[in-house]
Amino acid sequence: EIVLTQSPGTLSLSPGERATLSCRASQSVSSSYLAWYQQKPGQAPRLLIYGASSRATGIPDRFSGSGSGTDFTLTISRLEPEDFAVYYCQQYGSSPEFGQGTKVEIK
Amino acid sequence: EVQLVQSGAEVKKPGESLKISCKGSGYSFTSYWIGWVRQMPGKGLEWMGIIYPGDSDTRYSPSFQGQVTISADKSISTAYLQWSSLKASDTAMYYCARQGLLWSGWLPFDYWGQGTLVTVSS
């Protein structure tokens, strides 16, 4: 079982600032089966990034993903008001697991 | 348009049984896996298991094996999650999500249902 650890737990930032979220895996994630999801209160999660760095359809280019092996990063270049939410990383191989989430809140 | 539409909220008592559903439309239901994800109040996402409606191949997270049953009826493009005896700790939002598996490997959970809130209370 791969354990994903996200940091920080909460990120307090202002609109326009850059957000950097980390996801570390307990063992190597095969074929970069690493995704990022955004969840707003009362909504289902939404796919942002898959394959560690590919944006899903309709996702703005201020969202970018990077990393390989055990260390992955989601970067939001300039936070918009609608970006304040909880973000989860996920390895989606044969036995998917989620990280515990990072909340991006308004400072 | 791809859609996953889940059944409505449920309020049950401990010990009761329950089956919730997830109906797919806008794509070939038998060509994609359907996964189930639990979210307990104020908590994160937990993968429960997955089913391939084409042949009912089913896989469970070790944490949920024996606790729930996942099934599907491909004739009506619907997947199910069921409990035989609910506990208060089953109180949560449950999401279904679509996942593809190509020759090149797995795809992520690209479409999600709106969620079904299950409340178990005496």
Side-chain angles (χ1 to χ4, degrees):
Chain A
E1 175 188 329
I2 296 177
V3 177
L4 299 177
T5 302
Q6 293 186 237
S7 62
T10 302
L11 203 48
S12 298
L13 295 168
S14 300
E17 290 193 294
R18 182 185 187 91
T20 303
L21 288 67
S22 173
C23 177
R24 178 161 290 178
S26 59
Q27 54 189 282
S28 184
V29 177
S30 62
S31 303
S32 290
Y33 285 158
L34 195 286
W36 291 91
Y37 299 86
Q38 176 194 67
Q39 188 179 33
K40 297 179 181 179
Q43 296 185 16
R46 176 175 72 143
L47 176 65
L48 298 176
I49 301 287
Y50 65 96
S53 60
S54 298
R55 272 188 300 277
T57 303
I59 302 303
D61 60 8
R62 64 179 181 274
F63 291 92
S64 63
S66 62
S68 64
T70 60
D71 287 292
F72 299 88
T73 300
L74 174 70
T75 301
I76 310 171
S77 59
R78 292 176 315 279
L79 282 164
E80 297 288 339
E82 62 267 28
D83 299 336
F84 291 91
V86 179
Y87 293 83
Y88 295 94
C89 62
Q90 181 208 29
Q91 72 84 14
Y92 55 88
S94 58
S95 187
E97 295 289 346
F98 290 95
Q100 81 278 19
T102 290
K103 181 179 182 180
V104 179
E105 65 175 22
I106 300 176
K107 186 174 181 180
Chain B
E1 178 193 8
V2 174
Q3 282 192 306
L4 295 174
V5 178
Q6 297 185 230
S7 50
E10 301 275 2
V11 179
K12 292 289 190 178
K13 290 181 167 42
E16 292 186 330
S17 63
L18 176 64
K19 192 174 189 177
I20 63 175
S21 65
C22 169
K23 183 174 177 61
S25 63
Y27 72 100
S28 175
F29 188 72
T30 54
S31 299
Y32 288 81
W33 295 72
I34 293 288
W36 287 94
V37 175
R38 182 175 80 174
Q39 188 167 39
M40 299 178 78
K43 302 299 184 183
L45 306 172
E46 301 173 89
W47 180 77
M48 302 175 71
I50 200 163
I51 188 165
Y52 187 69
D55 61 8
S56 292
D57 184 8
T58 308
R59 306 174 190 184
Y60 293 93
S61 162
S63 300
F64 291 92
Q65 179 85 47
Q67 308 304 308
V68 297
T69 301
I70 294 171
S71 61
D73 184 341
K74 62 185 179 182
S75 69
I76 55 171
S77 302
T78 301
Y80 301 97
L81 177 66
Q82 69 180 88
W83 296 259
S84 59
S85 180
L86 287 160
K87 302 183 283 289
S89 57
D90 292 318
T91 295
M93 181 71 81
Y94 293 88
Y95 294 102
C96 64
R98 187 184 84 160
Q99 185 175 18
L101 176 58
L102 304 179
W103 62 269
S104 55
W106 288 99
L107 296 175
F109 291 12
D110 57 356
Y111 286 90
W112 293 66
Q114 82 277 17
T116 295
L117 180 61
V118 174
T119 303
V120 184
S121 174
S122 55

